[in-house]
């Protein structure tokens, strides 16, 4: 990290602003809201609180819990709300609340595992103007941004644009990283100085720059990732095309080695079996160089349903384990119908 960027992050950390349901209006559209005034609320910035409750036997409850809370961003005039997908995964009920306390039930429209986005629709009229969708591709490093959670607005700075590799069979080539860290980032809106939506909050990260400097911040899914799939998500509840093969393993990369840290109950990996502590060294006979290479080769092997040959290091020797992959969506519990 350059000295200039390190100083910028430190300054932002001391200037972090969060206004509960009310931040001041900007003196111009390009300036951040100032504290102590009451005309500009998170509603004006198209944000609502989202609460959900997962079904009783939700498989995701082991890592996410049944009760979930975060932010949603209104993106059309008919109550369509964009959020981060894990908030609504396997949900039985979803509830949206405005800053003045009004509450509406909502129904799940779609969850897209490849991007991480989720969509719900309010069952009633939301008195909120939709967000203006921006272009995340042009968002530059060091550009100031707003992070808008359901309870207020915080200033931030884009500190890196890079690949993000998640331990849960997830990868983004163009993730947005911001600093400093703030609260209520789950599903939060990332806005530019003109208040255009550029991304949706996904994770808190301990190293937002990716250089080991330890500047805490957040990872956002770029809004440009929504545009190619939005029509399909609205029409069919999922993106078109073959589903990616999914195994059900969590992994950690250590010096290029892909180590299994968790195996999801009832997953293809458990049935194979893959075990915690296995080191995955090859997919389809092709030696791996790390987690990103693992996902790239896994997803390139064909659609969900294919048998995937994994070479794993276990008990001091290489073993071949064949895993019959599935569509990730087929693993999760559906909402009960009556």
């Amino acid at each position: 990290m350059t000295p200039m960027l390190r100083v910028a992050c430190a300054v932002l950390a001391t200037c972090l602003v969060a206004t509960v349901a009310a931040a001041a209006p900007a003196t111009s559209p390009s300036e951040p809201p100032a504290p102590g005034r009451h005309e500009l609320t998170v509603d004006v910035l198209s944000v609502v609180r989202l609460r959900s409750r997962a079904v009783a036997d939700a498989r995701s409850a082991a890592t996410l819990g049944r009760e979930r809370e975060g932010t949603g961003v209104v993106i059309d005039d008919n109550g369509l709300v964009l959020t981060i997908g894990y908030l609504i995964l396997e949900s039985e009920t979803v509830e949206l609340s405005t800053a003045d306390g009004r509450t509406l039930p909502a129904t799940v429209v779609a969850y897209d595992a490849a991007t991480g986005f989720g969509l719900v629709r309010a069952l009633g009229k939301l008195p909120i103007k939709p967000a203006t969708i921006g272009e995340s591709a042009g968002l530059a490093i060091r550009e100031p941004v707003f992070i808008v959670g359901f309870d207020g607005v915080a200033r931030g700075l884009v500190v890196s644009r890079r690949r993000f590799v998640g331990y849960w069979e997830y990868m983004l080539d163009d993730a947005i990283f911001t600093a400093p860290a703030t609260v209520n980032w789950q599903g939060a809106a990332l806005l530019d100085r003109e208040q255009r939506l550029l991304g949706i909050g996904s994770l808190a990260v301990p190293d937002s720059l990716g250089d080991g400097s330890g500047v805490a911040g957040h990872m956002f899914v770029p809004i440009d990732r929504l545009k190619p799939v939005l029509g399909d998500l609205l029409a069919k509840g999922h993106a078109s095309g073959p589903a990616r093969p999914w195994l059900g393993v969590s992994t950690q990369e250590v010096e290029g080695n892909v180590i299994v840290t968790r195996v999801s109950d009832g997953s293809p990996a458990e049935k194979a079996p893959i075990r915690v502590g296995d080191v995955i060294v090859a997919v389809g006979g092709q030696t791996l160089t790390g987690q990103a290479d693992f996902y790239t080769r896994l997803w390139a092997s064909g659609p969900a349903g294919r048998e995937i040959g994994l070479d794993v290091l276990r008990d001091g020797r290489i073993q071949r384990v064949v895993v019959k992959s599935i569509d990730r969506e087929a693993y999760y519990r559906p909402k009960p119908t009556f």
Side-chain angles (χ1 to χ4, degrees), residues 193-227:
R193 287 174 291 185
E194 284 71 43
Q195 300 173 8
R196 295 172 297 201
L197 180 64
L198 301 180
I200 296 294
S202 176
L203 294 171
V205 294
D207 182 15
S208 59
L209 286 101
D211 62 358
S213 56
V215 177
H218 301 287
M219 188 274 279
F220 287 80
V221 183
I223 197 64
D224 287 357
R225 295 296 301 269
L226 177 68
K227 297 171 185 178

Side-chain angles (χ1 to χ4, degrees), residues 128-141:
I128 296 176
K129 182 181 177 180
T132 299
I133 305 298
E135 300 282 342
S136 56
L139 183 61
I141 294 175

Side-chain angles (χ1 to χ4, degrees), residues 214-251:
V215 177
H218 301 287
M219 188 274 279
F220 287 80
V221 183
I223 197 64
D224 287 357
R225 295 296 301 269
L226 177 68
K227 297 171 185 178
V229 299
L230 180 57
D232 287 336
L233 296 181
L234 293 176
K236 298 183 288 188
H238 58 84
S240 292
R244 288 173 171 174
W246 181 78
L247 307 182
V249 292
S250 296
T251 59

Side-chain angles (χ1 to χ4, degrees), residues 22 42 51 55-56 65 137 147 173 214 234 294 306 327 334:
V42 293
R51 294 187 179 95
V55 297
I147 299 169
D173 286 330
L234 293 176
F294 172 40
R306 292 181 64 92
D327 178 357

Side-chain angles (χ1 to χ4, degrees), residues 65-328:
R66 287 191 66 195
E67 306 286 342
R68 303 168 196 176
E69 181 179 61
T71 296
V73 186
V74 182
I75 61 170
D76 78 2
D77 290 317
N78 296 311
L80 185 65
V81 173
L82 177 66
T83 189
I84 198 66
Y86 59 75
L87 292 179
I88 61 170
L89 187 60
E90 297 183 286
S91 62
E92 183 175 43
T93 61
V94 179
E95 178 182 274
L96 305 174
S97 302
T98 57
D100 63 4
R102 283 179 284 183
T103 299
L104 285 173
T107 185
V108 173
V109 174
Y111 165 68
D112 184 47
T115 61
F117 286 127
L119 289 167
V120 302
R121 193 176 296 279
L123 299 177
K125 180 67 175 177
L126 280 172
I128 296 176
K129 182 181 177 180
T132 299
I133 305 298
E135 300 282 342
S136 56
L139 183 61
I141 294 175
R142 303 186 186 178
E143 187 166 337
V145 288
F146 306 149
I147 299 169
V148 188
F150 60 78
D151 65 344
V153 183
R155 294 184 179 99
L157 189 75
V158 177
V159 294
S160 64
R161 298 290 307 268
R162 55 189 167 85
R163 172 181 284 172
F164 173 79
V165 183
Y167 62 82
W168 61 97
E169 296 182 54
Y170 176 78
M171 184 166 67
L172 286 176
D173 286 330
D174 55 350
I176 301 167
F177 293 84
T178 67
T182 184
V183 296
N184 297 321
W185 40 264
Q186 304 96 324
L190 184 70
L191 305 181
D192 65 13
R193 287 174 291 185
E194 284 71 43
Q195 300 173 8
R196 295 172 297 201
L197 180 64
L198 301 180
I200 296 294
S202 176
L203 294 171
V205 294
D207 182 15
S208 59
L209 286 101
D211 62 358
S213 56
V215 177
H218 301 287
M219 188 274 279
F220 287 80
V221 183
I223 197 64
D224 287 357
R225 295 296 301 269
L226 177 68
K227 297 171 185 178
V229 299
L230 180 57
D232 287 336
L233 296 181
L234 293 176
K236 298 183 288 188
H238 58 84
S240 292
R244 288 173 171 174
W246 181 78
L247 307 182
V249 292
S250 296
T251 59
Q252 180 180 1
E253 180 178 328
V254 179
E255 297 183 351
N257 297 303
V258 181
I259 303 172
V260 177
T261 57
R262 184 176 181 273
V263 178
S264 297
D265 291 342
S267 68
E270 184 185 59
K271 295 172 183 177
I274 295 292
R275 301 174 185 170
V276 172
D278 284 348
V279 180
I280 303 174
V281 298
V283 174
Q286 297 179 308
T287 302
L288 300 179
T289 59
Q291 267 183 320
D293 192 33
F294 172 40
Y295 297 155
T296 299
R297 295 187 185 280
L298 173 63
W299 298 335
S301 65
R306 292 181 64 92
E307 291 188 341
I308 310 295
L310 302 179
D311 292 338
V312 303
L313 177 63
R314 179 189 298 167
D315 299 329
R317 63 188 183 91
I318 302 294
Q319 303 181 37
R320 171 61 62 93
V321 180
V322 177
V323 186
K324 185 174 178 56
S325 66
I326 62 171
D327 178 357
R328 186 194 300 254

